[in-house]
Amino acid sequence: MPLIRNSHGKGHVRIMRVKRDSARHEVRELTVEVLLTGAFDASYTEGDNSSAIATDSVKNIINILARDNVGAENEEFVQIIARYFLDRYDHVSGVTVTATETKWARIAIDGAPHDHAFTLDGNGRPLVKLVATREASTLSSGILGFTFLKTTQSGWENFWTDDVTTLKPTADRMFATAMDAEWTWSSVPASYADANAAVLEAALKVFATTYSPGVQNTMYLMGEAVLAAVPEIAEISMACPNKHYLPIDLSPFGRAFDGQVFTPTDEPHGQIACTVGRG
């Protein structure tokens, strides 16, 4: 039975590149697949892997090239990946590189785009909830999966440690979350749409402009700001999964981590929730 065609490589390699050579950071989050064709038939038909490039090595190459090309446009980056394989491995005859981008838009603070704080494009699903009886009703508005991040001005230090603690403290990390929030109305605003927009504007201003010692403190400050901005709201509840961007250790390849290349992951994630109301 002839082997008609074959390919192998690595799929779903998630990579966040942060260009931070100035105060204004640029972020590019990609999910990359690299598939190789060439003289690999024997690994299929004979069990001879001597020519097969390990898929883990393919992943490492993607990470290395991301670190070495943090500022490359996506179209340039996929060409860099393909060229690497074709130049380095004579027995590779073809490379297919597919990269899909998770788009981030700068948060506008007082009308000006922020240097290092972003929201996900096409962001969030608005919701409303009414709990009603014949005697009374409670109306809430909110948003699900409202996703935002910043590339610096966030840390996690001085937390409880004991014999099961492995996490290292840091004063500079990425902070990303997909927030579910719900706020309860105590009176009718002039415009629900304008008031809902003011909720997000107030919350994001705190997020972008305030150093975060932890998700917990930032959520509380966001809640305070929302209640100050929209007097018709009685309380706001927020749940924020801590979507991790993990530093990629490229020290085996002679490259130090300097806050430029991360692996995005949200499983498992920290889950933090709070409700802030009026005294």
Side-chain angles (χ1 to χ4, degrees):
M1 300 292 181
L3 178 68
I4 303 300
R5 65 185 62 87
N6 67 83
S7 63
H8 78 280
K10 204 73 164 180
H12 213 77
V13 180
R14 298 181 65 190
I15 190 84
M16 168 66 91
R17 292 180 292 152
V18 181
K19 185 182 179 186
R20 51 188 302 169
D21 54 357
S22 68
R24 191 175 181 85
H25 294 180
E26 303 284 345
V27 297
R28 292 183 177 90
E29 181 175 342
L30 295 177
T31 301
V32 181
E33 178 185 81
V34 173
L35 295 176
L36 308 175
T37 56
F40 304 119
D41 290 18
S43 65
Y44 292 85
T45 59
E46 307 295 335
D48 177 2
N49 295 328
S50 57
S51 67
I53 301 168
T55 65
D56 188 67
S57 299
V58 175
K59 176 206 68 180
N60 289 340
I61 290 167
I62 296 169
N63 290 339
I64 290 168
L65 295 176
R67 168 62 180 81
D68 291 348
N69 300 275
V70 292
E73 297 289 344
N74 296 337
E75 291 79 5
E76 298 171 339
F77 185 53
V78 296
Q79 294 178 69
I80 289 167
I81 293 173
R83 189 161 57 245
Y84 181 98
F85 284 98
L86 294 172
D87 290 348
R88 187 179 182 92
Y89 303 104
D90 290 339
H91 62 295
V92 171
S93 61
V95 185
T96 300
V97 184
T98 305
T100 58
E101 183 175 9
T102 299
K103 292 289 291 180
W104 296 93
R106 293 188 186 278
I107 294 173
I109 303 299
D110 298 327
H114 198 270
D115 281 342
H116 60 253
F118 303 82
T119 59
L120 188 70
D121 267 6
N123 201 2
R125 292 176 291 133
L127 68 90
V128 294
K129 182 195 296 184
L130 179 67
V131 179
T133 66
R134 288 185 177 85
E135 291 76 30
S137 65
T138 301
L139 178 66
S140 301
S141 300
I143 196 162
L144 300 176
F146 188 63
T147 304
F148 45 94
L149 71 79
K150 59 182 177 180
T151 54
T152 189
Q153 290 296 301
S154 173
W156 180 246
E157 300 179 282
N158 303 316
F159 48 88
W160 182 281
T161 60
D162 56 24
D163 58 343
V164 297
T165 304
T166 58
L167 185 66
K168 304 299 182 185
T170 179
D172 188 8
R173 65 174 183 170
M174 290 187 67
F175 178 169
T177 189
M179 179 180 72
D180 291 344
E182 186 174 321
W183 45 96
T184 303
W185 301 101
S186 58
S187 59
V188 179
S191 164
Y192 282 112
D194 290 347
N196 289 335
V199 168
L200 299 182
E201 181 180 3
L204 290 177
K205 184 172 184 178
V206 169
F207 172 78
T209 62
T210 306
Y211 176 80
S212 174
V215 178
Q216 291 89 333
N217 180 247
T218 298
M219 288 174 64
Y220 175 73
L221 296 178
M222 288 165 62
E224 280 193 321
V226 166
L227 295 179
V230 187
E232 296 87 359
I233 291 175
E235 66 178 34
I236 179 169
S237 298
M238 295 165 284
C240 288
N242 195 352
K243 296 170 70 69
H244 298 294
Y245 285 78
L246 303 179
I248 297 176
D249 180 14
L250 295 176
S251 58
F253 313 106
R255 291 160 175 84
F257 174 74
D258 48 10
Q260 291 183 304
V261 183
F262 304 80
T263 296
T265 180
D266 52 13
E267 295 179 357
H269 60 244
Q271 184 74 16
I272 301 100
C274 73
T275 299
V276 182
R278 302 186 185 277

